[in-house]
Amino acid sequence: MRVLVPEILDGLAPEDPRARRSRRDLARINAVMRQSAIMARALAGFPAPTVLADLGGGDGRFLLSVAKRLSKRWPGVQALVCDRVDIISPATRNDFARLGWRCESRTGDIFESLPQAGLMMANLFLHHFDDAALKRLLARVAENGAGFVACEPRRNGFALLGAHMVWALGANDVTRHDAVASVRAGFNNPELAALWPEGGAARRWRLDERSAWPFTHVFAAHAV
């Protein structure tokens, strides 16, 4: 059963030193979890998009790591980072440009700023929402998007043990708390598929939900 508690990072200002440190921690944790490889492999099953939107994409560095894996196969994509505030650095935007991608941001509440078209992804984002809010969000994604992939924490004992061990990566107090909270709010099969809208907003969808070693839960929705 999912257990949601507030995560500390969500309540910190973007420029708070503890928040900046935690974002660096998250980049290391994403690497350990192999998140960008898992995400890129799942996205590769879709046709090349014009727009790839990252919901809750933060500073854009995770989407950049995915773009590095896909840019040769998918040239000229518009990378759209959707989050409450724009914290994408000029260096990150330049790194996208060097790949031949164009990076833009869309700020505001995700329910109000959700893109109207394109392939969408979310990394370690959906677990912040309770089931009622998730059902609402996934309905909007099904209505607006051409496809969707989410990589979330897998809710099991092994992942929880890993979350308790992030101190070994030098993680600060924010990350140590939030890592454990994330796993407890994570997912198992078929929890996300059960929240996907029946009928998929006048489209038919093929849903795939599975674990990905070592700590990740993957959900993908393909329009058919």
Side-chain angles (χ1 to χ4, degrees), residues 76-144:
V77 173
Q78 177 186 342
L80 184 61
V81 179
C82 304
D83 214 311
R84 293 173 298 172
V85 293
D86 181 357
I87 55 173
I88 306 170
S89 71
T92 296
R93 294 181 189 275
N94 289 338
D95 286 342
F96 274 108
R98 279 192 282 271
L99 296 174
W101 287 31
R102 184 174 73 260
C103 178
E104 297 183 5
S105 64
R106 178 170 293 191
T107 60
D109 179 270
I110 193 62
F111 292 99
E112 299 173 1
S113 60
L114 196 73
Q116 294 299 311
L119 180 59
M120 301 186 196
M121 58 177 263
N123 179 61
L124 305 181
F125 179 62
L126 299 187
H127 69 274
H128 293 275
F129 298 90
D130 64 25
D131 285 0
L134 264 178
K135 191 167 186 177
R136 179 183 166 210
L137 177 60
L138 294 177
R140 293 288 307 280
V141 170
E143 181 180 0
N144 291 358

Side-chain angles (χ1 to χ4, degrees), residues 7 16 25 27 37 42 49 58 62 69-70 96 106 113 120 122 124 127 153 162 173 180 196 199 204 220:
E7 296 188 17
D16 186 296
D25 293 341
F62 180 77
R69 296 175 179 273
L70 294 174
F96 274 108
R106 178 170 293 191
S113 60
M120 301 186 196
L124 305 181
H127 69 274
D173 64 303
V180 173
W196 191 260
R204 295 179 59 198

Side-chain angles (χ1 to χ4, degrees), residues 158-223:
F158 184 61
L160 187 59
L161 176 63
H164 279 292
M165 295 294 292
V166 297
W167 61 267
L169 300 174
N172 73 352
D173 64 303
V174 175
T175 309
R176 294 195 301 270
H177 172 275
D178 289 357
V180 173
S182 295
V183 172
R184 289 177 172 158
F187 300 96
N188 281 305
N189 302 3
E191 292 171 344
L192 287 170
L195 296 171
W196 191 260
E198 293 185 11
R203 277 187 240 176
R204 295 179 59 198
W205 295 87
R206 174 170 56 85
L207 306 181
D208 174 33
E209 190 164 7
R210 57 184 174 81
S211 64
W213 191 88
F215 306 115
T216 304
H217 184 81
V218 179
F219 173 77
H222 298 252

Side-chain angles (χ1 to χ4, degrees), residues 46-68:
F46 292 83
T50 301
V51 178
L52 176 59
D54 187 5
L55 310 185
D59 60 14
R61 287 188 294 175
F62 180 77
L63 181 51
L64 176 63
S65 67
V66 172
K68 288 177 179 177

